[in-house]
Amino acid sequence: MLQTDVLIIGCGIAGATAALRLARNPQRRILVITRDPDPHESNSLYAQGGIIGRGQDDDADLLIKDILAAGAGASSPRAARILAEEGPDLLQEVLVESAGIQFDSQPDGEPEYGQEAAHSRRRILHVGDSTGNAIINGLVAAMRRYPNITIQTNVTAIDLITFPHNTRDPLATYEPVVCHGAYAFDRQERTVHRYIAAATILATGGLGRIYRNTSNPLGARGDGLAMANRAGARIVNAEYVQFHPTTLAAPGAEGFLISEALRGEGGILLTPDGQAFMGDYSPQWKDLAPRDVVARAIHHQMETHGYSYVLLDIASHMKADAIRARFPNIYTKCLQAGIDITREPIPVVPAAHYFCGGVLVDEWGRTNIENLYAVGEISCTGLHGANRLASTSLLEGLVWGDRSARHITSRLDGAPYLVLPGREKVPAWDESGLIADADSALIQGDMQTIQNIMWHYVGLARNAERLSRAIRELRHLWNEIETFYRTTRLSDGLIGLRNAVEVSLIVAQAALHNRRSRGCHFREDSLIFEGERLI
Ligand SMILES: Cc1cc2nc3c(=O)[nH]c(=O)nc-3n(C[C@H](O)[C@H](O)[C@H](O)COP(=O)(O)OP(=O)(O)OC[C@H]3O[C@@H](n4cnc5c(N)ncnc54)[C@H](O)[C@@H]3O)c2cc1C
């Protein structure tokens, strides 16, 4: 059993930012765990386009207006104001001053702001097209400078420790649900430890991997969401899964993101025979329309005409040297896949990208479970509503990571002593009788089945028939996987599979329940479209 003041599950921008703020009190012990062997591995690492700063002729009100417009009427104005007012200063303090990140600048030293879809100003700070890489390298290095932050890699959280669920005390039943940490699986030792903490922050990121086509890396399988759900946390807006319009459609490089910033710099979407089409779907914004509009337009083109991809042409709109300088990562990756983006258009398809819903939290990242906070992509602050505005998620992770830490600090620093439950109160993980190793072929096969169900029946365009079918098939799988889980020795893959089927059901059920199209939730069997957009 390990004890710490604050347990942070996840080491992306949200978890790392929380850790850095908490660590300013040298008495405070912070333990960050991540399932990956590499602390950098996360969705944050792969972010390309950038993070919102405050551009020229820009202010908080303009940004709020853009966030609310992209969110299709479902974004929380309060969350948008917090982000717009606190975000740019915090970015300077945490990312630039503390983590030493140098965003691209012009020769005169002024920041080089990029343009992205549905932003009314150029305000995106970036480091080439590998912004996430620079941010995570800086944050992990900064965390390592604090002796009171411990980072444990290769540790997969399995379930939250909550009372009354995980206590033998029958009287706890009459108390509010309280989180005391988590059970977590040490992937090297292959054992389960109890991590007991006065406060727990879930920062486990998104769930793109429950879809066959996704821009997300392997770890984004909704672990934290499933854990929170099992513990009784409130989950909202789960139907709003954002599909990025443009991921590379080239063998061996599927899912690689072709950043919106390419369209921000003039890139145009074309049918395979060279016709621009976004003007037909969004006369006002054309190729820079909000993501849900562009993704559906591409999907519509592909379905109607039987295309297996559409094209994104940047070569005709930007000089070759400028493309290589601004998008070195995308240029190299495409070249490896046989496409020279300085000369030819890029074949692209939409893919699952971002989870706009999540564990409902307040302005301090607090969930409805005492001592449990959720920050970053796993949480729902209400900011993204039904459709996230580009480049807001890194900033949201930063702002709410910091806010949750400030809230915990005010609570713990004011407390005379920390009350942690004793060893006898939290039962050890029971692995007795489990000797068979999980069959990796079954894990892989079931995972692919989930991904196919989600892609075909709970994808970009939904209807009641497909969603009902998805739920029936997922329920059947859920039963099979639960039996598998209860009769087999644990592995990271098995934990992820169990979580993936659970969060898939959460998304599918929310999508069936909500018969009104809005933002990235599009019901083709309903003519009710909220938020003034329909294609
Ligand atoms: C390709 C790509 C490009 C993007 N580009 C941008 C962009 O330009 N701008 C922008 O604002 N947003 C962008 N996004 C979205 C943004 O990167 C993410 O929303 C954001 O980084 C999420 O941060 P996070 O800290 O919440 O989670 P993550 O960065 O995903 O971190 C999650 C952490 O939790 C850990 N974890 C997960 N499950 C467990 C478990 N069971 N036990 C222990 N640890 C666990 C992971 O290992 C990881 O450390 C992009 C996303 C992708 C995939």
Side-chain angles (χ1 to χ4, degrees):
M1 184 156 107
L2 290 96
Q3 289 201 341
T4 183
D5 295 340
V6 185
L7 172 67
I8 301 179
I9 308 174
C11 197
I13 189 168
T17 304
L20 287 173
R21 171 69 68 182
L22 286 159
R24 291 182 189 193
N25 176 349
Q27 310 299 325
R28 197 62 67 223
R29 293 164 306 152
I30 300 116
L31 179 57
V32 183
I33 60 171
T34 170
R35 55 165 291 285
D36 204 83
D38 177 2
H40 301 87
E41 176 63 20
S42 55
N43 272 14
S44 301
L45 181 70
Y46 298 93
Q48 293 182 349
I51 180 165
I52 290 177
R54 185 155 293 142
Q56 280 166 353
D57 307 324
D58 196 10
D59 60 34
D61 288 335
L62 281 171
L63 175 56
I64 293 167
K65 209 168 151 213
D66 291 348
I67 291 170
L68 300 187
S75 287
S76 150
R78 195 170 54 146
R81 182 155 295 282
I82 290 173
L83 180 105
E85 288 182 349
E86 293 181 12
D89 290 345
L90 203 59
L91 184 154
Q92 182 66 26
E93 181 191 332
V94 178
L95 298 186
V96 177
E97 286 157 24
S98 176
I101 295 151
Q102 294 184 331
F103 291 100
D104 291 353
S105 56
Q106 298 171 21
D108 62 4
E110 284 298 305
E112 188 188 273
Y113 291 109
Q115 175 75 57
E116 290 200 358
H119 283 274
S120 58
R121 292 288 184 279
R122 290 185 84 90
R123 54 164 79 102
I124 314 299
L125 289 168
H126 51 85
V127 182
D129 54 356
S130 303
T131 311
N133 193 302
I135 288 177
I136 285 299
N137 278 320
L139 288 174
V140 171
M143 280 196 289
R144 286 187 165 141
R145 289 195 286 273
Y146 280 94
N148 54 341
I149 299 180
T150 306
I151 304 176
Q152 285 191 3
T153 58
N154 259 321
V155 176
T156 307
I158 312 165
D159 264 318
L160 295 166
I161 295 172
T162 51
F163 286 5
H165 301 104
N166 301 109
T167 179
R168 297 197 183 97
D169 178 2
L171 297 182
T173 309
Y174 311 113
E175 303 297 327
V177 180
V178 186
C179 180
H180 292 295
Y183 290 104
F185 176 70
D186 184 316
R187 297 177 64 180
Q188 278 170 325
E189 289 177 13
R190 302 195 65 189
T191 48
V192 177
H193 295 293
R194 287 163 285 176
Y195 287 76
I196 306 293
T200 302
I201 304 181
L202 269 176
T204 48
L207 49 65
R209 277 279 156 178
I210 63 173
Y211 283 90
R212 191 184 73 187
N213 298 329
T214 178
S215 64
N216 288 193
L218 282 173
R221 52 194 193 186
D223 281 14
L225 194 79
M227 285 162 55
N229 186 52
R230 288 192 289 269
R234 199 170 151 209
I235 290 163
V236 296
N237 288 0
E239 64 274 41
Y240 299 124
V241 175
Q242 182 174 70
F243 292 80
H244 198 287
T246 55
T247 61
L248 188 57
E254 294 90 353
F256 177 73
L257 193 76
I258 305 297
S259 169
E260 204 148 43
L262 266 85
R263 280 176 284 129
E265 299 302 336
I268 299 288
L269 287 160
L270 305 170
T271 59
D273 55 1
Q275 304 301 314
F277 58 85
M278 273 313 301
D280 300 339
Y281 297 92
S282 175
Q284 181 199 354
W285 289 96
K286 299 193 177 69
D287 294 81
L288 288 179
R291 278 191 184 163
D292 60 316
V293 176
V294 182
R296 265 197 312 278
I298 296 175
H299 179 76
H300 188 243
Q301 283 289 322
M302 288 171 63
E303 284 236 311
T304 313
H305 303 290
Y307 305 144
S308 49
Y309 57 82
V310 296
L311 296 170
L312 175 58
D313 176 26
I314 184 71
S316 315
H317 307 278
M318 212 174 167
K319 293 210 170 82
D321 285 350
I323 294 175
R324 281 189 288 264
R326 174 71 181 85
F327 304 111
N329 181 31
I330 296 173
Y331 169 74
T332 307
K333 187 78 181 184
C334 289
L335 207 55
Q336 285 164 357
I339 301 149
D340 182 348
I341 68 168
T342 64
R343 295 164 176 269
E344 56 192 319
I346 312 164
V348 290
V349 289
H353 183 59
Y354 184 83
F355 187 47
C356 298
V359 180
L360 182 67
V361 295
D362 68 5
E363 66 270 32
W364 298 105
R366 282 185 295 186
T367 69
N368 59 320
I369 295 179
E370 214 170 295
N371 294 350
L372 179 67
Y373 295 73
V375 293
E377 193 168 337
I378 187 206
S379 69
C380 183
T381 61
L383 179 76
H384 308 300
N387 178 56
R388 174 176 75 100
L389 178 68
S391 287
T392 45
S393 51
L394 288 172
L395 197 63
E396 186 194 41
L398 190 77
V399 170
W400 267 266
D402 189 73
R403 284 187 143 246
S404 67
R406 281 195 277 144
H407 193 270
I408 291 170
T409 299
S410 69
R411 266 183 51 215
L412 299 192
D413 287 0
Y417 54 90
L418 297 181
V419 186
L420 294 173
R423 170 187 287 270
E424 70 292 347
K425 286 233 173 111
V426 182
W429 190 260
D430 184 8
E431 289 175 287
S432 53
L434 302 182
I435 39 170
D437 280 332
D439 180 345
S440 53
L442 279 180
I443 294 178
Q444 215 183 331
D446 283 352
M447 196 70 184
Q448 281 172 0
T449 307
I450 293 168
Q451 291 166 337
N452 277 321
I453 293 172
M454 292 303 286
W455 183 253
H456 292 294
Y457 304 153
V458 196
L460 265 154
R462 300 156 174 185
N463 63 42
E465 201 181 333
R466 285 184 210 150
L467 292 168
S468 303
R469 170 87 177 267
I471 290 168
R472 282 198 303 278
E473 296 195 6
L474 288 168
R475 277 196 186 131
H476 172 70
L477 262 174
W478 186 90
N479 279 327
E480 292 290 325
I481 292 168
E482 273 297 307
T483 308
F484 187 26
Y485 177 79
R486 302 215 169 270
T487 52
T488 318
R489 279 186 76 190
L490 271 187
S491 69
D492 174 73
L494 184 55
I495 295 167
L497 177 66
R498 179 186 184 221
N499 291 332
V501 75
E502 182 158 340
V503 298
S504 296
L505 263 169
I506 292 172
V507 173
Q509 277 161 343
L512 180 66
H513 185 70
N514 186 354
R515 292 182 51 244
R516 290 162 185 258
S517 296
R518 187 192 284 276
C520 51
H521 171 59
F522 180 59
R523 287 284 301 254
E524 59 185 18
D525 54 348
S526 162
L527 288 179
I528 310 166
F529 198 93
E530 310 281 357
E532 297 173 11
R533 294 204 287 272
L534 181 59
I535 58 168

Short mmCIF file of all heavy atoms in Angstrom, two decimals, residues 356-376:
data_model
loop_
_atom_site.label_atom_id
_atom_site.label_comp_id
_atom_site.label_asym_id
_atom_site.label_seq_id
_atom_site.Cartn_x
_atom_site.Cartn_y
_atom_site.Cartn_z
N CYS A 356 -15.75 15.37 -26.37
CA CYS A 356 -16.21 16.65 -25.81
C CYS A 356 -16.94 16.45 -24.48
O CYS A 356 -17.05 17.37 -23.68
CB CYS A 356 -17.18 17.34 -26.77
SG CYS A 356 -16.45 17.75 -28.35
N GLY A 357 -17.51 15.24 -24.27
CA GLY A 357 -18.20 14.98 -23.01
C GLY A 357 -17.21 14.53 -21.96
O GLY A 357 -16.01 14.69 -22.11
N GLY A 358 -17.74 13.96 -20.88
CA GLY A 358 -16.82 13.44 -19.85
C GLY A 358 -17.42 13.49 -18.47
O GLY A 358 -18.64 13.64 -18.29
N VAL A 359 -16.54 13.38 -17.49
CA VAL A 359 -16.96 13.42 -16.09
C VAL A 359 -17.29 14.88 -15.77
O VAL A 359 -16.44 15.77 -15.92
CB VAL A 359 -15.82 12.94 -15.16
CG1 VAL A 359 -16.27 13.00 -13.71
CG2 VAL A 359 -15.37 11.54 -15.54
N LEU A 360 -18.52 15.10 -15.35
CA LEU A 360 -18.95 16.48 -15.09
C LEU A 360 -18.16 17.07 -13.92
O LEU A 360 -18.07 16.46 -12.84
CB LEU A 360 -20.45 16.50 -14.76
CG LEU A 360 -21.03 17.90 -14.51
CD1 LEU A 360 -21.00 18.74 -15.79
CD2 LEU A 360 -22.46 17.80 -13.98
N VAL A 361 -17.58 18.24 -14.15
CA VAL A 361 -16.83 18.92 -13.07
C VAL A 361 -17.26 20.37 -12.98
O VAL A 361 -17.83 20.93 -13.92
CB VAL A 361 -15.29 18.87 -13.31
CG1 VAL A 361 -14.78 17.44 -13.26
CG2 VAL A 361 -14.91 19.54 -14.62
N ASP A 362 -16.95 20.98 -11.85
CA ASP A 362 -17.26 22.39 -11.70
C ASP A 362 -16.04 23.23 -12.09
O ASP A 362 -15.08 22.73 -12.68
CB ASP A 362 -17.75 22.69 -10.27
CG ASP A 362 -16.63 22.52 -9.23
OD1 ASP A 362 -15.47 22.27 -9.61
OD2 ASP A 362 -16.94 22.65 -8.03
N GLU A 363 -16.08 24.49 -11.75
CA GLU A 363 -15.00 25.38 -12.21
C GLU A 363 -13.66 25.08 -11.53
O GLU A 363 -12.62 25.60 -11.92
CB GLU A 363 -15.38 26.85 -12.02
CG GLU A 363 -15.55 27.31 -10.58
CD GLU A 363 -16.95 27.14 -10.04
OE1 GLU A 363 -17.65 26.19 -10.46
OE2 GLU A 363 -17.37 27.95 -9.19
N TRP A 364 -13.66 24.19 -10.52
CA TRP A 364 -12.40 23.79 -9.86
C TRP A 364 -12.04 22.34 -10.18
O TRP A 364 -11.17 21.76 -9.52
CB TRP A 364 -12.52 23.96 -8.33
CG TRP A 364 -12.76 25.40 -7.97
CD1 TRP A 364 -13.93 25.96 -7.58
CD2 TRP A 364 -11.80 26.47 -8.05
NE1 TRP A 364 -13.77 27.31 -7.40
CE2 TRP A 364 -12.46 27.65 -7.67
CE3 TRP A 364 -10.44 26.54 -8.39
CZ2 TRP A 364 -11.83 28.89 -7.63
CZ3 TRP A 364 -9.81 27.77 -8.35
CH2 TRP A 364 -10.50 28.92 -7.97
N GLY A 365 -12.72 21.75 -11.15
CA GLY A 365 -12.40 20.37 -11.52
C GLY A 365 -12.97 19.35 -10.56
O GLY A 365 -12.59 18.17 -10.62
N ARG A 366 -13.87 19.77 -9.67
CA ARG A 366 -14.44 18.83 -8.70
C ARG A 366 -15.54 17.98 -9.33
O ARG A 366 -16.40 18.52 -10.04
CB ARG A 366 -15.05 19.59 -7.52
CG ARG A 366 -14.04 20.10 -6.54
CD ARG A 366 -14.72 20.73 -5.36
NE ARG A 366 -15.45 21.93 -5.77
CZ ARG A 366 -16.06 22.75 -4.93
NH1 ARG A 366 -16.05 22.48 -3.64
NH2 ARG A 366 -16.69 23.82 -5.35
N THR A 367 -15.54 16.69 -9.06
CA THR A 367 -16.62 15.82 -9.52
C THR A 367 -17.67 15.76 -8.42
O THR A 367 -17.52 16.38 -7.37
CB THR A 367 -16.09 14.39 -9.77
OG1 THR A 367 -15.76 13.81 -8.51
CG2 THR A 367 -14.86 14.40 -10.65
N ASN A 368 -18.70 14.93 -8.64
CA ASN A 368 -19.71 14.78 -7.58
C ASN A 368 -19.25 13.81 -6.49
O ASN A 368 -19.98 13.55 -5.55
CB ASN A 368 -21.05 14.31 -8.17
CG ASN A 368 -20.92 12.98 -8.90
OD1 ASN A 368 -19.95 12.75 -9.59
ND2 ASN A 368 -21.89 12.12 -8.75
N ILE A 369 -18.05 13.26 -6.63
CA ILE A 369 -17.52 12.37 -5.59
C ILE A 369 -16.50 13.17 -4.77
O ILE A 369 -15.60 13.80 -5.35
CB ILE A 369 -16.86 11.13 -6.23
CG1 ILE A 369 -17.94 10.32 -6.94
CG2 ILE A 369 -16.13 10.29 -5.18
CD1 ILE A 369 -17.44 9.08 -7.63
N GLU A 370 -16.66 13.10 -3.47
CA GLU A 370 -15.77 13.88 -2.61
C GLU A 370 -14.31 13.46 -2.81
O GLU A 370 -14.02 12.25 -2.95
CB GLU A 370 -16.18 13.64 -1.16
CG GLU A 370 -15.97 14.86 -0.30
CD GLU A 370 -16.61 14.66 1.07
OE1 GLU A 370 -17.85 14.55 1.13
OE2 GLU A 370 -15.86 14.61 2.03
N ASN A 371 -13.41 14.40 -2.83
CA ASN A 371 -11.95 14.18 -2.98
C ASN A 371 -11.55 13.71 -4.37
O ASN A 371 -10.39 13.32 -4.56
CB ASN A 371 -11.41 13.15 -1.97
CG ASN A 371 -11.50 13.63 -0.55
OD1 ASN A 371 -11.80 14.80 -0.32
ND2 ASN A 371 -11.25 12.74 0.39
N LEU A 372 -12.50 13.66 -5.29
CA LEU A 372 -12.14 13.23 -6.66
C LEU A 372 -12.29 14.41 -7.62
O LEU A 372 -13.36 15.01 -7.72
CB LEU A 372 -13.04 12.08 -7.13
CG LEU A 372 -12.73 11.59 -8.55
CD1 LEU A 372 -11.35 10.92 -8.63
CD2 LEU A 372 -13.80 10.62 -9.06
N TYR A 373 -11.20 14.68 -8.33
CA TYR A 373 -11.17 15.75 -9.34
C TYR A 373 -10.97 15.10 -10.71
O TYR A 373 -10.41 14.02 -10.80
CB TYR A 373 -10.01 16.71 -9.06
CG TYR A 373 -10.15 17.46 -7.75
CD1 TYR A 373 -9.96 16.81 -6.53
CD2 TYR A 373 -10.49 18.80 -7.72
CE1 TYR A 373 -10.10 17.49 -5.33
CE2 TYR A 373 -10.64 19.49 -6.52
CZ TYR A 373 -10.44 18.83 -5.33
OH TYR A 373 -10.59 19.51 -4.14
N ALA A 374 -11.41 15.77 -11.76
CA ALA A 374 -11.13 15.27 -13.12
C ALA A 374 -10.73 16.48 -13.96
O ALA A 374 -11.39 17.53 -13.90
CB ALA A 374 -12.35 14.58 -13.70
N VAL A 375 -9.65 16.33 -14.71
CA VAL A 375 -9.16 17.46 -15.51
C VAL A 375 -8.73 16.98 -16.89
O VAL A 375 -8.37 15.83 -17.07
CB VAL A 375 -7.97 18.18 -14.82
CG1 VAL A 375 -8.43 18.89 -13.55
CG2 VAL A 375 -6.83 17.23 -14.50
N GLY A 376 -8.75 17.90 -17.86
CA GLY A 376 -8.34 17.57 -19.22
C GLY A 376 -9.45 16.86 -19.97
O GLY A 376 -10.64 17.01 -19.66
#
